[in-house]
């Protein structure tokens, strides 16, 4: 089957790219390896900037995709050394159930949605892409298109195949495993704030939240490090600081995050094959990536639309259009003044106490590690 554009990955980045290309009359296939709705281990906190991007392209987020409580006001940062800071969003955002939101975005993007269809290989020429895909036990098939937007997430197959050297040097070493554990329990915590914990001893940033009657604890770990150790430290800190008590069976969800942005590395693809979202390395220092995925998916699609019919490949325009966004991300990591990602860090940045200076130093070490 021949398409104008193939989009791989039905997360926010891929759905946004597919929607924007369909809106311009392109024939698009959205290729997703899992059956939809699929689980995506995620806090599901959608900043107001991300919510505005969704609303502009798809309309308001339907109530069926929202979690309880559905309003989020920002993040509370608890530092293991004692600091406690409120980092608000400029206005309230939303708490969503990722499986439902992503399925809704895929169903409304207007593309041919090929779920349960995994991209296993890619041949990319100047204006031609051939994707080799498999569906379960069936034989490998080929999908062809003029353009590709690969938004296939933290462990992007497209990045590995299109830029093997870059992948080996920058992406693979920065791939971080995450374990999200969801349990019933009690905690003295306003659920409209998502929690970020800055752990001592190289533990880095851990995340926690209360939604839909469950407590979620997410810890990062390298391939060689046991996640349980990080989870025990986080739970001990929350027992002490927020009266955490866990009950009943826990649900575990393993995932990965691509932290190559912490080293200042991004890859936007090449030629007619563009990378968006976490596949490109777009993840903010707190580990939030929904807004960046939506924004880059939209810019990738617009770059293809604007260069269609021209002799230059869309990658040139995409790089140019993404420059401001990438510079802003890098500047925020460096300067650490008013905002980092979508969060207002002025309470932390403005605190002159010795403890706050120590917390800022620990965060910067984490951002650049
Ligand atoms: C524990 C945790 C909590 C988080 N909490 C938040 C949060 O609260 N707010 C926030 O903004 N961000 C959060 N993030 C980050 C956020 O989940 C990601 O940055 C975001 O989902 C990236 O979107 P994406 O579209 O780039 O990729 P994804 O959403 O990861 O989607 C990629 C898709 O590609 C598919 N795919 C992969 N390989 C192939 C293939 N070979 N062929 C076809 N399809 C393929 C995958 O199945 C997946 O559906 C969290 C991450 C983790 C791990």
């Amino acid at each position: 089957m021949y398409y104008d554009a193939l989009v791989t990955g039905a997360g926010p980045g891929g759905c946004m790219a597919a929607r924007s290309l369909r809106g311009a009359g392109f024939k698009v296939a959205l290729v997703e390896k899992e059956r939809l709705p699929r689980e995506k281990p995620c806090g599901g906190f959608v900043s107001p900037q991300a919510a505005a991007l969704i609303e502009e392209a798809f309309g308001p987020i339907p109530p069926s995709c929202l979690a309880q409580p559905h309003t989020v006001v920002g993040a509370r940062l608890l530092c293991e050394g004692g600091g406690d800071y409120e980092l608000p969003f400029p206005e309230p955002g939303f708490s969503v159930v990722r499986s439902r939101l992503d399925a809704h975005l895929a169903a409304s993007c207007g593309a041919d949605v090929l779920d349960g269809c995994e991209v296993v290989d890619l041949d990319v020429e100047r204006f031609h892409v051939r994707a080799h895909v498999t569906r379960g036990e069936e034989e490998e098939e080929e999908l062809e298109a003029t353009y590709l937007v690969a938004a296939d997430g933290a462990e992007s197959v497209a990045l590995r195949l299109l830029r093997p050297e870059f992948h080996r040097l920058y992406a693979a070493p920065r791939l971080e495993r995450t374990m999200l554990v969801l349990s019933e329990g009690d905690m003295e915590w306003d659920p409209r704030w998502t929690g970020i914990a800055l752990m001592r001893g190289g533990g880095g940033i851990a995340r926690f939240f209360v939604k839909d009657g469950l407590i979620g604890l997410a810890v990062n770990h390298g391939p060689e490090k046991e996640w349980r150790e990080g989870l025990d430290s986080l739970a001990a800190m929350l027992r002490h600081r927020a009266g955490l008590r866990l009950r009943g069976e826990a649900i575990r969800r393993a995932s990965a995050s691509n932290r190559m942005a912490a080293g200042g590395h991004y890859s936007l693809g090449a030629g007619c094959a563009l990378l968006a979202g976490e596949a490109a390395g777009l993840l903010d220092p707190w580990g939030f990536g929904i807004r960046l995925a939506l924004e880059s998916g939209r810019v990738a699609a617009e770059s293809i639309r604007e260069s269609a019919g021209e002799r230059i490949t869309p990658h040139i325009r995409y790089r140019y259009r993404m420059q401001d966004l990438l510079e802003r991300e890098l500047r925020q990591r460096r300067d650490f003044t008013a905002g980092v990602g979508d969060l207002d860090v002025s309470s932390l940045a403005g605190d002159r106490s010795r403890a706050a200076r120590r917390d800022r130093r620990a965060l910067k070490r984490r951002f650049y590690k």
Side-chain angles (χ1 to χ4, degrees):
M1 179 76 86
Y2 201 97
Y3 289 91
D4 296 322
L6 290 181
V7 177
T8 60
C15 294
M16 179 60 113
R19 171 88 182 149
S20 174
L21 287 164
R22 274 300 298 136
F26 282 61
K27 188 171 175 215
V28 183
L30 177 63
V31 186
E32 165 57 50
K33 76 171 176 189
E34 305 289 343
R35 285 255 169 236
L36 295 173
R38 60 97 178 85
E39 286 297 341
K40 164 73 180 95
C42 182
F45 291 92
V46 175
S47 68
Q49 295 91 332
L53 289 165
I54 294 175
E55 178 148 3
E56 200 185 314
F58 296 89
I61 299 174
S64 58
C65 299
L66 297 175
Q68 282 309 323
H70 64 263
T71 306
V72 281
V73 290
R76 237 175 91 190
L77 172 65
L78 297 191
C79 302
E80 217 182 359
D84 183 345
Y85 309 91
E86 288 190 349
L87 314 178
F89 288 136
E91 55 191 90
F94 292 100
S95 174
V96 301
V97 180
R98 275 297 298 274
S99 56
R100 287 192 226 142
L101 177 72
D102 292 8
H104 161 72
L105 298 182
S108 345
C109 75
D112 289 355
V113 179
L114 312 179
D115 64 345
C117 182
E118 179 174 2
V119 175
V120 290
D121 204 359
L122 288 168
D123 301 317
V124 178
E125 289 162 27
R126 195 163 151 74
F127 283 108
H128 184 227
V129 177
R130 184 179 290 113
H132 303 258
V133 299
T134 56
R135 299 176 203 239
E137 302 293 287
E138 288 172 34
E139 284 210 352
E140 204 172 285
E141 314 166 34
E142 284 182 4
L143 297 169
E144 290 183 273
T146 311
Y147 303 104
L148 170 74
V149 179
D152 51 349
E155 296 180 271
S156 171
V157 169
L159 176 63
R160 181 165 52 76
L161 294 171
L162 297 174
R163 310 248 354 243
E165 211 46 359
F166 181 97
H167 181 266
R168 187 174 62 76
L169 290 173
Y170 303 119
R174 296 292 181 137
L175 195 70
E176 203 165 62
R177 300 277 148 204
T178 305
M179 181 60 79
L180 172 64
V181 176
L182 296 157
S183 299
E184 286 181 6
D186 302 301
M187 186 159 71
E188 289 143 29
W189 187 262
D190 178 347
R192 294 170 312 136
W193 293 89
T194 180
I196 298 174
L198 181 61
M199 309 302 289
R200 280 203 202 120
I205 288 175
R207 280 169 286 185
F208 57 96
F209 52 83
V210 180
K211 65 196 272 187
D212 284 336
L214 293 175
I215 295 173
L217 306 177
V219 289
N220 300 321
H221 58 104
E224 73 292 341
K225 200 177 150 215
E226 241 301 297
W227 56 270
R228 219 170 255 291
E229 209 182 291
L231 189 80
D232 289 347
S233 310
L234 175 64
M237 174 177 164
L238 293 177
R239 258 196 308 278
H240 175 61
R241 303 275 287 274
L244 172 74
R245 278 194 315 267
L246 295 175
R247 277 197 312 271
E249 284 287 297
I251 305 164
R252 280 187 228 154
R253 297 207 175 118
S255 183
S257 294
N258 183 334
R259 294 226 325 119
M260 65 192 185
H265 298 292
Y266 302 93
S267 174
L268 299 177
C272 63
L274 311 184
L275 296 168
E278 240 184 286
L282 294 163
L283 192 66
D284 84 11
W286 310 108
F288 292 153
I290 296 175
R291 192 255 308 162
L292 288 166
L294 291 163
E295 211 169 336
S296 56
R298 191 187 65 187
V299 177
E302 285 171 358
S303 304
I304 290 175
R305 284 160 55 170
E306 287 162 14
S307 31
E310 289 182 3
R311 287 172 62 185
I312 55 161
T313 51
H315 173 240
I316 312 274
R317 194 168 250 117
Y318 184 43
R319 275 180 76 113
Y320 176 73
R321 297 268 318 263
M322 288 293 285
Q323 210 167 312
D324 283 352
L325 185 151
L326 295 181
E327 274 172 14
R328 187 183 66 215
E329 292 297 307
L330 291 171
R331 198 173 336 108
Q332 282 190 342
R333 285 172 190 272
R334 234 183 1 250
D335 297 348
F336 198 77
T337 47
V340 174
D342 295 341
L343 296 170
D344 176 357
V345 294
S346 48
S347 64
L348 174 59
D351 188 335
R352 299 273 145 237
S353 68
R354 183 185 285 187
R357 287 207 302 274
R358 207 178 42 228
D359 292 341
R360 280 198 297 275
R361 276 201 300 276
L363 269 173
K364 283 200 166 183
R365 266 202 306 281
R366 166 67 189 169
F367 288 176
Y368 284 106
K369 200 175 73 179

